[in-house]
């Protein structure tokens, strides 16, 4: 079953008030591609202003706490994201798994909290360069999924992002065969876990650009992309959306 392509931008720790104009430019241009779901995950402090500036474009957070509320200094709950106008969030990005020491169990709890609150969730997995070079990429990613997939049924709102750590921000991209193998394995895992209805979209992330997007979107079981650096400017992001519409 072909799923509607989904192209999400992850702005990471980029974006000030002045950049709302860029978000607006992206939202306006994205309207020309109704066959693609487009979203931007911006810094939490920009979410509310972004949703006001571009009511038609789904705006997301980049992380969420798994607790509903409580003594968690500096954290943001799923309800807070929704309250600010977000409709989705990333969970388990490798930069958080690494720098914030997030475990698979944390990521699973975060995904469940987001989905239970009505948000869509993009759950990230991916292997290090060392693991890739020693032949353990598939086993590592499947083990991450085993331990971090949510035990919930809101599958239409769940996406998986396969983001090899060594491809993030480096300009290096796995071969088409490597992406195909990993996405096929992830699809198999999702079918095994949730039944083969195929509703969960599997995004590729890591150095996606206008110049390589078409080739990546042509790979079986690639249902979209999670885009970092190239999502910050409309002129870089829109060619990726266009490639998704064409693919
Ligand atoms: P780049 O597109 O900058 O490589 O980042 C990918 C990423 O980490 C998206 O979450």
């Amino acid at each position: 079953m072909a799923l509607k392509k989904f192209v999400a931008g992850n702005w990471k720790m980029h974006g000030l008030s002045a950049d709302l104009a860029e978000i607006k430019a992206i939202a306006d241009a994205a309207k020309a591609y109704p066959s693609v779901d487009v979203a931007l995950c911006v810094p939490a402090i920009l979410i509310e202003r972004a949703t006001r500036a571009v009511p038609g474009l789904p705006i997301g957070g980049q992380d969420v706490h798994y607790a509903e509320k409580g003594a968690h200094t500096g954290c943001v709950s799923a309800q807070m994201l929704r309250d600010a106008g977000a409709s989705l969030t990333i969970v388990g990005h490798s930069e958080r798994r690494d720098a914030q020491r997030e475990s698979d169990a944390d990521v699973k709890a975060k995904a469940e909290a987001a989905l239970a609150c009505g948000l869509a969730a993009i759950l990230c997995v991916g292997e290090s360069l060392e693991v890739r070079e020693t032949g353990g990429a598939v086993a590592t990613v499947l083990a991450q999924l085993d331990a971090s997939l949510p035990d919930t049924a809101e599958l239409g709102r769940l996406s998986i992002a396969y983001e090899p750590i060594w491809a993030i921000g480096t300009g290096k991209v796995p071969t088409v065969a490597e992406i195909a193998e990993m996405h096929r394995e992830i699809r198999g895992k999702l079918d095994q876990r949730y039944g083969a209805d195929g509703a969960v979209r599997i995004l590729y992330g890591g150095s996606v650009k206008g110049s390589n997007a078409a080739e990546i979107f042509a790979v079986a079981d690639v249902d979209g992309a999670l885009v970092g650096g190239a999502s910050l400017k409309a002129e870089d992001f829109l060619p990726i959306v266009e490639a998704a519409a064409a693919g």
Side-chain angles (χ1 to χ4, degrees):
M1 183 177 67
L3 299 169
K4 187 175 182 185
K5 289 271 193 303
F6 180 23
V7 178
N10 175 9
W11 272 32
K12 308 191 180 183
M13 202 169 75
H14 299 281
L16 299 170
S17 309
D19 298 299
L20 289 167
E22 201 65 40
I23 294 175
K24 197 152 178 354
I26 289 171
D28 286 345
K31 284 185 196 144
Y33 305 100
S35 64
V36 181
D37 286 332
V38 179
L40 284 181
C41 296
V42 300
I45 202 162
L46 266 191
I47 290 172
E48 183 158 7
R49 280 172 289 162
T51 56
R52 284 183 204 278
V54 292
L57 181 78
I59 296 292
Q62 301 170 4
D63 177 48
V64 67
H65 200 278
Y66 48 76
E68 271 179 39
K69 60 173 102 167
H72 303 289
T73 303
C75 298
V76 173
S77 73
Q79 200 180 7
M80 289 170 182
L81 287 179
R82 286 212 62 183
D83 193 45
S87 53
L88 72 152
T89 185
I90 297 168
V91 294
H93 193 282
S94 60
E95 287 153 14
R96 294 200 58 87
R97 287 177 182 265
D98 179 33
Q100 316 301 327
R101 307 249 184 284
E102 286 185 8
S103 67
D104 288 328
D106 293 332
V107 174
K108 176 178 179 176
K110 286 170 180 239
E112 289 178 349
L115 293 169
C117 197
L119 294 168
I122 302 173
L123 193 164
C124 302
V125 291
E127 82 285 356
S128 66
L129 184 59
E130 189 190 354
V131 167
R132 168 60 67 180
E133 286 178 339
T134 51
V138 168
T140 295
V141 166
L142 294 185
Q144 281 179 330
L145 284 172
D146 267 331
S148 55
L149 283 174
D151 289 332
T152 47
E154 294 96 344
L155 299 181
R157 282 192 274 117
L158 176 66
S159 304
I160 306 301
Y162 167 55
E163 299 204 308
I165 296 166
W166 50 274
I168 294 175
T170 60
K172 292 186 195 145
V173 178
T175 64
V176 162
E178 286 168 336
I179 296 174
E181 178 191 37
M182 188 65 81
H183 281 237
R184 185 173 63 242
E185 294 284 348
I186 293 172
R187 176 64 64 207
K189 174 63 66 187
L190 293 169
D191 288 351
Q192 181 191 57
R193 181 71 172 257
Y194 299 123
D197 73 354
V200 178
R201 289 183 285 198
I202 308 172
L203 316 182
Y204 168 78
S207 296
V208 178
K209 311 259 180 281
S211 55
N212 60 19
E215 187 182 30
I216 293 169
F217 291 142
V219 176
D221 284 313
V222 173
D223 305 310
L226 183 57
V227 183
S231 70
L232 295 172
K233 296 275 174 224
E235 68 191 37
D236 296 328
F237 193 48
L238 266 298
I240 299 171
V241 177
E242 190 181 346

